[in-house]
Amino acid sequence: PVTPTAPTIQTVTDTTITVVGESLDMEYSLNGRTWQTSETFTGLIPKTEYTVYRRYALTDDHLQSESSAPTIVTTCQSLGECEVKVTSRLRFTGAALKPTVTIKDPDGTDLTEGTDFTVTYQNNTAVGEATVLVEGNGNYYGTLQKTFSIYQVAIEDGDVYEIPSQAYTGFPLTPSVKLTYGNELLLEGKDYTVSYEKNVYGPKASVIISGIGGFYGKKILLFAIDGAPEVDCIFGDVNDDQVVDMKDVLLLRKYLAS
């Protein structure tokens, strides 16, 4: 028979190589000396280069052929044998979170994302437990799963700068707020919202800081209003917040309706 072409590799794992079978009369070898009829070689060593041959075997109908040209193939490394690290906790932002994934194989080699493995994520937007799915690529095979937590921080744990006394103007006073968490300066509209109470006459006005995004809960800060006249009540101020506005109208309407 004619000499067959070099074998085509069907699959490779860390311990097996499987050749595409094209004929029942074919046999295969890793060294050109020991031959087998099975298309799959087992018990191999991970990350090792092998040379695969094939030939037509001796049968009642024909002699055995010459060995084919070799196909050189390297066995993979199972991701299950690798050291995988994933950032365990990330603070909620409202956006999809993608923690850093680092992988070392048993030889201590750092794997490269996109070349040696790919990463996908599940449930990585909301607060709770998210999933990292890692799939081997190139010389690495298999899949594995890791989890990480998405958490919020109590706004109470933030540090707020004291607001100095404010001079009475006859209008609602809305001094700015500076709030930090650790070394991070928090941003109004991203990390918290601000509302005010009793901020016209005082004498003590309240700043209500409400956590949003990666923060939850409330924090109340007081500041003094200097020079305000003493006022027992303000006509139309149903909710006693020192401002007559639509909130008072709605409260009055609700009261009258009941």
Side-chain angles (χ1 to χ4, degrees), residues 24 33 43 45 62 170 181-183 197 234 239:
L24 295 177
R33 297 184 300 274
I45 301 171
H62 57 73
Y181 178 71
N183 295 323
E197 291 182 354
I234 300 173
N239 62 359

Side-chain angles (χ1 to χ4, degrees), residues 191-214:
D191 302 309
Y192 63 91
T193 61
V194 176
S195 60
Y196 300 85
E197 291 182 354
K198 297 186 181 296
N199 59 330
V200 177
Y201 297 97
K204 288 289 186 180
S206 299
V207 183
I208 300 92
I209 303 170
S210 302
I212 58 174

Side-chain angles (χ1 to χ4, degrees), residues 124-211:
N124 60 327
T125 301
V127 172
E129 186 175 83
T131 302
V132 182
L133 300 173
V134 184
E135 184 172 358
N137 191 40
N139 290 329
Y140 297 85
Y141 89 103
T143 59
L144 53 85
Q145 180 174 302
K146 295 286 184 178
T147 59
F148 67 96
S149 62
I150 300 175
Y151 68 96
Q152 286 180 301
V153 174
I155 200 70
E156 275 284 344
D157 294 339
D159 296 314
V160 63
Y161 286 68
E162 183 177 347
I163 298 176
S165 298
Q166 305 289 304
Y168 169 76
T169 64
F171 298 96
L173 297 170
T174 56
S176 60
V177 172
K178 186 176 182 181
L179 186 64
T180 60
Y181 178 71
N183 295 323
E184 179 185 358
L185 177 64
L186 303 188
L187 301 176
E188 184 178 352
K190 174 179 177 289
D191 302 309
Y192 63 91
T193 61
V194 176
S195 60
Y196 300 85
E197 291 182 354
K198 297 186 181 296
N199 59 330
V200 177
Y201 297 97
K204 288 289 186 180
S206 299
V207 183
I208 300 92
I209 303 170
S210 302

